[in-house]
């Protein structure tokens, strides 16, 4: 998995100003938490110790104390939750009762810092965000999105005969299948599901940025999808080639900080192996693990579809 913790570190321009230094004086339990991914008011409020004071649109410098909880920070900012990332690795949603600044202090003390004043000073160091970083909303990872779900509206033609017409359709690549909606940009109508494991994905040379998707077996179906850009074409070709080359119907969604299984995965009726290790899914709820097997069965999958689970 790619690690990107060193990218986008807080620059010197976003270091503490006089207001932040005044906040720190006289109490080592006071500090600042940098929140990435939020929206900042260009004119920060003048009252309240937890107001933001940095002008960057993707970074908030939030004043707080070691007793400030996630719930309090979210209430002050009208936020839905906070996420933490260690060393550029997995992202985890924080519990409402967790205290972000205390987490930073604990992190530093585990590294060997003992003096409270030194801990407070190091916690204010902008470079620390490369090792422990907080997000005000779940960041979108392009690599993760490509691996778990590809989706778009493209020109599609069914079958190999030229008699079939091209039409705009919503196309989804998720799990082990290609999903083509019968109505443009809508999944309310009939959906055509093409199993790809053991099938083929080939370049259509007579048409620019076009791929042919075919399922395996005697009842094989074929869809042609014409992509708008070379980047889209390459992205879909790369991901589909991985699926068709598999010998078993394996879906590997490990190590991607998922909180729920992508809903389109349930249309893959041939899955026998599903790897969900190292994610943050709950046991209960719509996307919980307890409801996973039931949902697969309700979507028409075979009873043994979830024979092998790797948590």
């Amino acid at each position: 998995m790619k690690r990107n913790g060193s990218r986008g570190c807080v620059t010197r321009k976003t270091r503490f100003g006089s207001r932040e230094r005044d906040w720190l004086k006289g109490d080592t339990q006071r500090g600042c938490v940098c929140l990435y991914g939020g929206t900042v008011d260009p004119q920060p409020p003048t009252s309240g110790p937890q107001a933001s004071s940095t002008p960057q649109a993707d970074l908030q410098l939030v004043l707080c104390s070691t007793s400030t909880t996630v719930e309090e920070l979210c209430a002050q900012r009208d936020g839905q939750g906070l996420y933490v990332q260690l060393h550029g690795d997995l992202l985890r949603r924080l519990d409402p009762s967790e205290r972000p600044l205390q987490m930073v202090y604990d992190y530093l003390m585990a590294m060997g810092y003992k003096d409270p004043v030194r801990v407070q000073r190091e916690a204010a160091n902008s470079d620390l965000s490369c090792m422990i970083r907080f997000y005000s909303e779940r960041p979108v990872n392009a690599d993760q999105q490509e691996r778990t779900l590809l989706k778009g509206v493209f020109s599609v033609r069914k079958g190999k005969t030229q008699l079939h017409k091209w039409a705009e359709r919503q196309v989804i690549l998720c799990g082990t299948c290609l999903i083509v909606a019968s109505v443009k940009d809508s999944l309310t109508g009939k959906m055509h599901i093409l199993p790809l494991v053991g099938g083929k994905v080939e370049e259509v040379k007579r048409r620019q940025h076009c791929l042919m998707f075919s399922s395996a077996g005697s009842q094989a179906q074929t869809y042609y999808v014409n992509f708008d850009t070379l980047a889209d074409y390459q992205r879909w070709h790369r991901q589909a080639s991985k699926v068709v080359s598999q010998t078993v119907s394996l879906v590997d969604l490990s190590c991607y900080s998922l909180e729920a299984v992508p809903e389109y995965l349930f249309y893959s009726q041939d899955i026998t192996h599903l790897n969900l290790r190292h994610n943050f899914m709950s046991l209960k709820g719509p996307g919980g693990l307890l409801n996973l097997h039931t949902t697969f069965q309700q979507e028409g999958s075979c009873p043994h579809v979830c024979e092998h689970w790797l948590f």
Side-chain angles (χ1 to χ4, degrees), residues 172-234:
I172 300 168
L173 178 60
C174 183
T176 60
C177 70
L178 185 78
I179 304 171
V180 181
S182 59
V183 181
K184 176 185 176 182
D185 202 17
S186 174
L187 296 178
T188 57
K190 181 179 179 181
M191 287 183 293
H192 305 274
I193 301 173
L194 188 70
L196 293 178
V197 175
K200 294 188 297 183
V201 55
E202 298 177 350
E203 176 187 4
V204 180
K205 296 183 178 180
R206 62 180 180 274
R207 194 177 180 95
Q208 189 178 32
H209 304 155
C210 184
L211 291 175
M212 181 191 74
F213 298 87
S214 297
S215 58
S218 58
Q219 302 296 322
Q221 294 184 349
T222 300
Y223 279 92
Y224 292 85
V225 181
N226 199 84
F227 298 95
D228 300 325
T229 66
L230 176 61
D232 283 337
Y233 166 84
Q234 293 174 333

Side-chain angles (χ1 to χ4, degrees), residues 147-165:
R147 182 176 172 183
T148 58
L149 174 70
L150 289 177
K151 182 178 180 181
V153 177
F154 306 108
S155 185
V156 177
R157 193 187 79 194
K158 180 181 180 181
K160 297 183 178 182
T161 173
Q162 294 289 340
L163 295 178
H164 291 90
K165 296 181 179 180

Side-chain angles (χ1 to χ4, degrees), residues 111-131:
M111 293 175 61
Y113 293 98
K114 302 298 182 183
D115 179 60
V117 176
R118 180 66 185 279
V119 170
Q120 183 189 51
R121 184 166 64 248
E122 292 297 330
N125 191 334
S126 60
D127 294 336
L128 190 63
S129 62
C130 297
M131 296 183 286

Side-chain angles (χ1 to χ4, degrees), residues 56-101:
Q56 294 195 15
D58 62 344
L59 175 65
Q60 289 180 296
L61 199 60
V62 181
L63 305 184
C64 58
S65 70
T66 54
S67 63
T68 305
T69 65
V70 170
E71 184 176 22
E72 291 170 339
L73 285 176
C74 290
Q76 190 270 335
R77 299 172 40 262
D78 293 328
Q80 299 298 317
L82 297 181
Y83 294 81
V84 64
Q85 183 181 39
L86 295 178
H87 314 128
D89 209 333
L90 293 178
L91 283 160
R92 176 176 71 86
R93 181 190 289 269
L94 293 171
D95 292 331
S97 61
E98 292 188 89
R99 297 171 291 165
L101 186 60

